[in-house]
Amino acid sequence: MNKKRFVLSGYFGFKNFGDEAILSVIVQKLKQYNHRITVISSNPKYTMNKFKHIRSVYTFNIMDIIGAISKSDCLISGGGSLLQDTTSFKSLIYYLFIIFLGLILHKKVIIFAQGIGPINNPIGKILTKTLLRHCHYISVRDIKSYELLKNWGINADLLCDPIFSSDIPDIEKEDIVAVQLRNCKYMNEDFIDRLAQKIAKEFSDKNIEIYSFQDEIDIEVCKKFEKALNLLNDKIKTTIYSNLTDEEIIAGITRAKYLIAMRFHAIIVALLSATKTLAINYDIKIEKIATEFELPIIDLKSEFQNQFKELKDIDTYKLAAAVQTKKFDWRGFEKVINE
């Protein structure tokens, strides 16, 4: 099989656990076939140190990006939620521009396991439709994205998130409640206080491990939560973990008996490791996965009801059986990259 050159575009280099884990999955798959890889990253040095024998170019060095794509055989965009304008319209335009470069340079373009939308800006919607119609292969990770593309007349494979293909270590559960928080539009002192009060009441006898996945966004919220919890009960043992490797994050979630989490991929790791999970709904993707796996879910703006009882009552055997149905299907992807 001939070695080919691939350029990977995504939210890479920001040390965000979910996106870095997706990148690891893609890189591992391409390396199985000895293909050459260049990653568009906000931190090329970090990316090249993490993944040996790959190249990396800076996110906003357009000339280097054009050079890398022009020398490649294929551009891969994804995974994650790149094509949406909830985060910002600028980010949508950026990722569409990279796709546009791949198309005008006559390269194969793959949209990899993405969650498409919501796209509220009419111009953004038109541009997304137009560019996706010219891509060589598209896969999406949820039914709403699949139905959206179907309504646009665009064919796509409906797959699960690629992190479901990760190997999770077999670690014995400990008497730990893992709490993973991040800053976002509706995060405020009221929610932090209410969450601290509930955890102090329900889990005062357990170790509380607080996880910052991306320090620029997470760490301040984590510190505020720890302070609120300690003010309520100074005997509760709390620890904040930050600047962790992907492997350390996975091990931490895996050994916890309970997880209270906001981030999509934290919830997936918990599902894979049969950690009882309560989802914090800050984004439509969290609502989707909580609904699919019948996880209890709390809202940032609403009062808590019976969700903590539901958390304790989760049937982990039933959860494990549901997770077993989630196997990432590589066949369409492998066919395109090796043609």
Side-chain angles (χ1 to χ4, degrees):
M1 185 178 298
N2 293 330
K3 291 183 180 180
K4 296 180 181 178
R5 295 179 183 271
F6 288 81
V7 175
L8 310 185
S9 167
Y11 189 70
F12 305 138
F14 293 95
K15 302 182 182 180
N16 176 41
F17 167 68
D19 295 282
E20 296 300 324
I22 290 172
L23 179 58
S24 297
V25 169
I26 302 173
V27 168
Q28 183 179 17
K29 176 57 65 174
L30 293 176
K31 282 188 173 182
Q32 287 181 9
Y33 299 99
N34 296 315
H35 293 314
R36 296 183 177 91
I37 302 165
T38 299
V39 178
I40 301 172
S41 170
S42 70
N43 190 338
K45 184 177 180 180
Y46 166 79
T47 299
M48 287 189 288
N49 285 338
K50 182 175 181 181
F51 302 100
K52 305 303 180 185
H53 310 300
I54 70 167
R55 294 180 66 249
S56 183
V57 295
Y58 179 53
T59 302
F60 297 110
N61 191 326
I62 299 303
M63 295 311 297
D64 281 357
I65 292 172
I66 292 173
I69 295 175
S70 65
K71 295 173 184 176
S72 72
D73 298 288
C74 181
L75 169 71
I76 300 174
S77 175
S81 301
L82 305 180
L83 302 183
Q84 47 82 22
D85 60 9
T86 303
T87 302
S88 80
F89 181 64
K90 288 181 180 179
S91 69
L92 171 64
I93 293 301
Y94 172 81
Y95 291 116
L96 289 177
F97 176 68
I98 301 300
I99 292 169
F100 172 74
L101 287 178
L103 293 172
I104 64 167
L105 291 170
H106 306 292
K107 308 302 177 181
K108 285 184 180 178
V109 177
I110 294 173
I111 307 300
F112 179 78
Q114 288 205 35
I116 311 295
I119 302 173
N120 299 304
N121 186 289
I123 295 173
K125 192 173 292 187
I126 291 169
L127 291 173
T128 305
K129 285 183 189 180
T130 302
L131 292 175
L132 291 187
R133 286 193 174 114
H134 292 89
C135 292
H136 292 73
Y137 175 70
I138 299 174
S139 59
V140 294
R141 69 183 185 187
D142 63 82
I143 187 65
K144 286 193 175 181
S145 298
Y146 177 80
E147 290 174 346
L148 175 63
L149 295 188
K150 187 177 179 180
N151 288 336
W152 289 352
I154 298 172
N155 293 324
D157 282 350
L158 174 58
L159 309 176
C160 63
D161 190 279
I163 304 306
F164 277 107
S165 68
S166 300
D167 293 324
I168 300 298
D170 186 11
I171 300 175
E172 186 176 349
K173 296 292 183 189
E174 300 177 31
D175 211 19
I176 292 169
V177 179
V179 181
Q180 180 275 305
L181 299 174
R182 57 157 294 160
N183 198 11
C184 66
K185 183 178 180 180
Y186 296 110
M187 177 62 70
N188 55 40
E189 302 284 349
D190 175 65
F191 175 79
I192 290 171
D193 288 342
R194 287 189 291 115
L195 182 63
Q197 288 171 20
K198 197 66 176 176
I199 290 177
K201 178 181 177 182
E202 300 288 341
F203 297 116
S204 61
D205 59 333
K206 297 190 171 25
N207 292 337
I208 311 299
E209 296 188 345
I210 307 163
Y211 284 85
S212 168
F213 280 12
Q214 188 179 3
D215 288 354
E216 291 180 3
I217 298 175
D218 300 355
I219 192 67
E220 289 305 316
V221 175
C222 291
K223 288 178 179 178
K224 288 178 181 178
F225 172 73
E226 182 184 45
K227 182 178 180 180
L229 198 57
N230 290 334
L231 285 172
L232 288 165
N233 185 343
D234 59 7
K235 294 181 180 180
I236 293 179
K237 185 177 179 181
T238 61
T239 309
I240 293 179
Y241 292 97
S242 64
N243 197 29
L244 300 178
T245 66
D246 294 351
E247 292 76 16
E248 288 169 336
I249 289 173
I250 290 170
I253 294 174
T254 300
R255 76 171 186 270
K257 187 175 291 184
Y258 300 99
L259 172 70
I260 300 167
M262 296 178 71
R263 288 188 181 271
F264 183 79
H265 289 104
I267 295 171
I268 291 181
V269 173
L271 289 168
L272 289 169
S273 58
T275 298
K276 296 184 178 184
T277 301
L278 171 63
I280 301 175
N281 185 19
Y282 83 99
D283 186 275
I284 186 64
K285 62 189 174 186
I286 305 303
E287 183 179 340
K288 289 175 185 175
I289 195 166
T291 300
E292 181 177 2
F293 287 94
E294 299 180 357
L295 301 176
I297 187 167
I298 56 178
D299 190 270
L300 288 162
K301 297 181 287 184
S302 302
E303 294 296 324
F304 306 153
Q305 297 178 355
N306 299 317
Q307 294 96 336
F308 279 78
K309 182 180 184 304
E310 293 171 9
L311 170 64
K312 294 178 179 180
D313 291 343
I314 288 175
D315 184 339
T316 54
Y317 292 102
K318 182 180 177 182
L319 202 60
V323 172
Q324 285 299 312
T325 66
K326 293 289 185 181
K327 297 296 181 183
F328 191 79
D329 187 349
W330 287 100
R331 289 174 296 179
F333 179 83
E334 290 178 321
K335 180 180 178 182
V336 174
I337 67 170
N338 294 320
E339 283 178 343

